[in-house]
Amino acid sequence: MNDFTVDKTAKTVTFSREFDAELSLVWDAYTKPELLDQWWAPKPWISKTKVMDFIVGGRRFYAMVSPEGDEHWSIQRYTSISPKTNFTLWNAFADKDENPELPGSEWDLSFSEHTGKTTVRIRIYNESLVRMEKMLAMGFKEGTAMNLKNLEELLATLSK
Amino acid sequence: MRRDIFQAIADPTRRAIITLIALQAMTPNAIADHFNSTRQAVSKHLRILTECQLVKPQHQGREIYYSLEVEKLKEVDQWVNQFRELWETRYHQLDNVLATLKKQGQ
């Protein structure tokens, strides 16, 4: 991962990554549910997309499913799409009935190709740092058992 | 009321105070001189920062000097690292998906 930066004042996290594939493939991997579900959830979690309508105003409603079968739902609403260049979305955790947990975060994803390799740059804006913390806590849940242990240790430190 | 590092840095004035005392320990009056807010407002922020264990008050004679607990700030780093790890795992999986797609396209 390149240029992973956190701007606390602007409340944004920005990072970019180059992939050894042409732009159209990478774009598909981000915008087609059957492909997204193959990589979005860190193993052993799985990503299960229930609804995905990749149009402006459309949404992806999906769950991260734990090995035990626990489902953590999220909604991503597409706010703008420039094919194979950029799309933006509003992201929020949700319950199983699609009721979002506010506030959400705003994502901006840019794609560019150079000599057969594709760079994806993601910028995530959070209204509050507390929300950023929550987002990370969910990241932990989606992660490995080791990450979960780290979270417990970190939370224990923080709650002292 | 929760008191942790993330609450400490959630407020712009508190972030400015952290930046200020990172250079040297300062008294509340000296800190207040750098802001448009009142001495009371600065005191309140210092109290929260102290409760978050990000700053430490030290008595020197009749004055109280506030200094930064740098170790505590590392928790923010740790937190950010976990987020980065999530995306690295995710992207490693995407590498595999893309490799498969490329093979299928050939």
Side-chain angles (χ1 to χ4, degrees), chain A residues 24-48:
Chain A
S24 57
L25 278 190
V26 179
W27 178 263
D28 284 353
Y30 270 87
T31 57
K32 293 187 172 172
E34 67 277 14
L35 294 177
L36 259 178
D37 281 346
Q38 288 180 42
W39 64 273
W40 189 255
K43 291 182 180 79
W45 286 65
I46 55 168
S47 164
K48 188 177 82 178

Short mmCIF file of all heavy atoms in Angstrom, two decimals, chain A residues 24-48:
data_model
loop_
_atom_site.label_atom_id
_atom_site.label_comp_id
_atom_site.label_asym_id
_atom_site.label_seq_id
_atom_site.Cartn_x
_atom_site.Cartn_y
_atom_site.Cartn_z
N SER A 24 -9.79 -1.99 -17.13
CA SER A 24 -11.16 -2.51 -17.21
C SER A 24 -11.39 -3.67 -16.24
O SER A 24 -12.48 -3.81 -15.68
CB SER A 24 -11.50 -2.91 -18.64
OG SER A 24 -10.58 -3.87 -19.08
N LEU A 25 -10.35 -4.48 -16.01
CA LEU A 25 -10.49 -5.59 -15.07
C LEU A 25 -10.64 -5.09 -13.64
O LEU A 25 -11.50 -5.56 -12.89
CB LEU A 25 -9.26 -6.51 -15.13
CG LEU A 25 -9.17 -7.55 -16.24
CD1 LEU A 25 -8.00 -8.48 -15.96
CD2 LEU A 25 -10.46 -8.35 -16.33
N VAL A 26 -9.80 -4.12 -13.29
CA VAL A 26 -9.85 -3.58 -11.92
C VAL A 26 -11.20 -2.88 -11.69
O VAL A 26 -11.82 -3.04 -10.64
CB VAL A 26 -8.67 -2.62 -11.66
CG1 VAL A 26 -8.74 -2.03 -10.25
CG2 VAL A 26 -7.34 -3.34 -11.86
N TRP A 27 -11.63 -2.15 -12.68
CA TRP A 27 -12.93 -1.46 -12.58
C TRP A 27 -14.05 -2.49 -12.34
O TRP A 27 -14.90 -2.32 -11.47
CB TRP A 27 -13.18 -0.65 -13.86
CG TRP A 27 -14.50 0.05 -13.88
CD1 TRP A 27 -15.65 -0.38 -14.48
CD2 TRP A 27 -14.83 1.31 -13.26
NE1 TRP A 27 -16.67 0.52 -14.28
CE2 TRP A 27 -16.20 1.56 -13.54
CE3 TRP A 27 -14.11 2.24 -12.50
CZ2 TRP A 27 -16.85 2.72 -13.08
CZ3 TRP A 27 -14.77 3.38 -12.05
CH2 TRP A 27 -16.11 3.61 -12.34
N ASP A 28 -14.00 -3.59 -13.11
CA ASP A 28 -15.00 -4.65 -12.93
C ASP A 28 -14.95 -5.23 -11.51
O ASP A 28 -15.99 -5.48 -10.90
CB ASP A 28 -14.78 -5.79 -13.93
CG ASP A 28 -15.25 -5.42 -15.34
OD1 ASP A 28 -15.85 -4.34 -15.50
OD2 ASP A 28 -14.99 -6.20 -16.27
N ALA A 29 -13.73 -5.43 -11.01
CA ALA A 29 -13.59 -6.03 -9.68
C ALA A 29 -14.21 -5.16 -8.60
O ALA A 29 -14.62 -5.66 -7.55
CB ALA A 29 -12.12 -6.28 -9.38
N TYR A 30 -14.29 -3.85 -8.86
CA TYR A 30 -14.87 -2.93 -7.88
C TYR A 30 -16.37 -2.69 -8.10
O TYR A 30 -17.04 -2.17 -7.22
CB TYR A 30 -14.16 -1.57 -7.97
CG TYR A 30 -12.96 -1.42 -7.07
CD1 TYR A 30 -11.70 -1.83 -7.48
CD2 TYR A 30 -13.09 -0.87 -5.79
CE1 TYR A 30 -10.60 -1.70 -6.66
CE2 TYR A 30 -11.98 -0.72 -4.97
CZ TYR A 30 -10.75 -1.14 -5.41
OH TYR A 30 -9.66 -1.00 -4.59
N THR A 31 -16.84 -3.03 -9.28
CA THR A 31 -18.20 -2.60 -9.61
C THR A 31 -19.16 -3.74 -9.94
O THR A 31 -20.33 -3.50 -10.20
CB THR A 31 -18.18 -1.61 -10.80
OG1 THR A 31 -17.52 -2.23 -11.91
CG2 THR A 31 -17.42 -0.33 -10.42
N LYS A 32 -18.67 -4.97 -9.95
CA LYS A 32 -19.55 -6.11 -10.20
C LYS A 32 -19.64 -6.96 -8.93
O LYS A 32 -18.61 -7.41 -8.41
CB LYS A 32 -19.03 -6.96 -11.37
CG LYS A 32 -19.10 -6.22 -12.69
CD LYS A 32 -18.74 -7.12 -13.85
CE LYS A 32 -19.02 -6.39 -15.16
NZ LYS A 32 -18.52 -7.14 -16.32
N PRO A 33 -20.87 -7.19 -8.45
CA PRO A 33 -21.03 -7.86 -7.15
C PRO A 33 -20.37 -9.23 -7.08
O PRO A 33 -19.77 -9.58 -6.06
CB PRO A 33 -22.55 -7.95 -6.99
CG PRO A 33 -23.14 -7.67 -8.34
CD PRO A 33 -22.16 -6.81 -9.05
N GLU A 34 -20.47 -10.02 -8.17
CA GLU A 34 -19.92 -11.38 -8.09
C GLU A 34 -18.40 -11.35 -7.96
O GLU A 34 -17.80 -12.25 -7.38
CB GLU A 34 -20.37 -12.22 -9.30
CG GLU A 34 -19.83 -11.80 -10.66
CD GLU A 34 -20.62 -10.66 -11.31
OE1 GLU A 34 -21.42 -10.01 -10.62
OE2 GLU A 34 -20.42 -10.42 -12.53
N LEU A 35 -17.77 -10.25 -8.46
CA LEU A 35 -16.31 -10.12 -8.30
C LEU A 35 -15.97 -9.50 -6.94
O LEU A 35 -15.06 -9.95 -6.25
CB LEU A 35 -15.73 -9.27 -9.44
CG LEU A 35 -15.82 -9.90 -10.84
CD1 LEU A 35 -15.27 -8.94 -11.89
CD2 LEU A 35 -15.06 -11.22 -10.87
N LEU A 36 -16.72 -8.47 -6.56
CA LEU A 36 -16.50 -7.80 -5.27
C LEU A 36 -16.54 -8.81 -4.12
O LEU A 36 -15.69 -8.78 -3.23
CB LEU A 36 -17.60 -6.76 -5.03
CG LEU A 36 -17.29 -5.29 -5.29
CD1 LEU A 36 -18.55 -4.47 -5.04
CD2 LEU A 36 -16.16 -4.79 -4.39
N ASP A 37 -17.52 -9.69 -4.18
CA ASP A 37 -17.69 -10.66 -3.10
C ASP A 37 -16.51 -11.63 -3.00
O ASP A 37 -16.34 -12.29 -1.98
CB ASP A 37 -19.00 -11.44 -3.27
CG ASP A 37 -20.21 -10.64 -2.80
OD1 ASP A 37 -20.00 -9.62 -2.10
OD2 ASP A 37 -21.35 -11.03 -3.11
N GLN A 38 -15.70 -11.70 -4.05
CA GLN A 38 -14.55 -12.62 -4.00
C GLN A 38 -13.36 -12.04 -3.23
O GLN A 38 -12.45 -12.78 -2.86
CB GLN A 38 -14.09 -12.97 -5.42
CG GLN A 38 -15.06 -13.88 -6.15
CD GLN A 38 -14.57 -14.19 -7.56
OE1 GLN A 38 -13.39 -14.44 -7.77
NE2 GLN A 38 -15.46 -14.17 -8.52
N TRP A 39 -13.35 -10.71 -3.02
CA TRP A 39 -12.17 -10.16 -2.35
C TRP A 39 -12.47 -9.18 -1.22
O TRP A 39 -11.59 -8.84 -0.42
CB TRP A 39 -11.23 -9.49 -3.38
CG TRP A 39 -11.81 -8.29 -4.09
CD1 TRP A 39 -12.55 -8.29 -5.21
CD2 TRP A 39 -11.66 -6.92 -3.71
NE1 TRP A 39 -12.89 -7.02 -5.57
CE2 TRP A 39 -12.35 -6.14 -4.67
CE3 TRP A 39 -11.01 -6.25 -2.65
CZ2 TRP A 39 -12.43 -4.75 -4.60
CZ3 TRP A 39 -11.09 -4.86 -2.60
CH2 TRP A 39 -11.80 -4.13 -3.56
N TRP A 40 -13.70 -8.70 -1.13
CA TRP A 40 -14.00 -7.61 -0.20
C TRP A 40 -13.82 -8.00 1.27
O TRP A 40 -13.37 -7.20 2.09
CB TRP A 40 -15.42 -7.11 -0.46
CG TRP A 40 -15.75 -5.87 0.27
CD1 TRP A 40 -16.55 -5.77 1.37
CD2 TRP A 40 -15.31 -4.53 -0.03
NE1 TRP A 40 -16.62 -4.45 1.77
CE2 TRP A 40 -15.88 -3.68 0.93
CE3 TRP A 40 -14.49 -3.98 -1.01
CZ2 TRP A 40 -15.65 -2.31 0.95
CZ3 TRP A 40 -14.26 -2.62 -1.00
CH2 TRP A 40 -14.83 -1.80 -0.03
N ALA A 41 -14.18 -9.23 1.61
CA ALA A 41 -14.08 -9.65 3.01
C ALA A 41 -12.76 -10.39 3.24
O ALA A 41 -12.48 -11.36 2.55
CB ALA A 41 -15.25 -10.54 3.37
N PRO A 42 -11.96 -9.93 4.20
CA PRO A 42 -10.72 -10.68 4.50
C PRO A 42 -11.08 -12.06 5.04
O PRO A 42 -11.90 -12.19 5.94
CB PRO A 42 -10.06 -9.83 5.60
CG PRO A 42 -10.72 -8.49 5.53
CD PRO A 42 -12.11 -8.74 5.03
N LYS A 43 -10.46 -13.08 4.46
CA LYS A 43 -10.72 -14.45 4.92
C LYS A 43 -10.40 -14.58 6.40
O LYS A 43 -9.46 -13.94 6.85
CB LYS A 43 -9.88 -15.44 4.11
CG LYS A 43 -10.33 -15.56 2.67
CD LYS A 43 -9.49 -16.60 1.93
CE LYS A 43 -9.92 -16.74 0.49
NZ LYS A 43 -9.43 -15.68 -0.40
N PRO A 44 -11.12 -15.33 7.20
CA PRO A 44 -12.16 -16.29 6.81
C PRO A 44 -13.57 -15.68 6.70
O PRO A 44 -14.55 -16.43 6.60
CB PRO A 44 -12.10 -17.31 7.94
CG PRO A 44 -11.76 -16.49 9.15
CD PRO A 44 -10.86 -15.39 8.64
N TRP A 45 -13.67 -14.36 6.76
CA TRP A 45 -14.98 -13.75 6.58
C TRP A 45 -15.35 -13.81 5.11
O TRP A 45 -14.48 -13.91 4.25
CB TRP A 45 -14.95 -12.29 7.03
CG TRP A 45 -14.92 -12.15 8.52
CD1 TRP A 45 -13.91 -12.54 9.35
CD2 TRP A 45 -15.94 -11.60 9.35
NE1 TRP A 45 -14.25 -12.26 10.66
CE2 TRP A 45 -15.48 -11.69 10.68
CE3 TRP A 45 -17.19 -11.04 9.10
CZ2 TRP A 45 -16.24 -11.24 11.76
CZ3 TRP A 45 -17.94 -10.58 10.18
CH2 TRP A 45 -17.47 -10.70 11.49
N ILE A 46 -16.67 -13.80 4.83
CA ILE A 46 -17.07 -13.73 3.43
C ILE A 46 -18.00 -12.53 3.21
O ILE A 46 -18.70 -12.10 4.13
CB ILE A 46 -17.75 -15.02 2.92
CG1 ILE A 46 -18.94 -15.40 3.80
CG2 ILE A 46 -16.77 -16.16 2.83
CD1 ILE A 46 -19.81 -16.47 3.19
N SER A 47 -17.93 -12.00 2.01
CA SER A 47 -18.78 -10.88 1.63
C SER A 47 -19.99 -11.43 0.88
O SER A 47 -19.85 -12.25 -0.02
CB SER A 47 -17.97 -9.93 0.74
OG SER A 47 -18.81 -9.05 0.05
N LYS A 48 -21.18 -10.97 1.29
CA LYS A 48 -22.41 -11.47 0.66
C LYS A 48 -23.23 -10.25 0.21
O LYS A 48 -23.77 -9.53 1.03
CB LYS A 48 -23.20 -12.29 1.68
CG LYS A 48 -24.40 -13.01 1.12
CD LYS A 48 -25.07 -13.88 2.19
CE LYS A 48 -25.99 -13.06 3.10
NZ LYS A 48 -26.69 -13.86 4.11
#
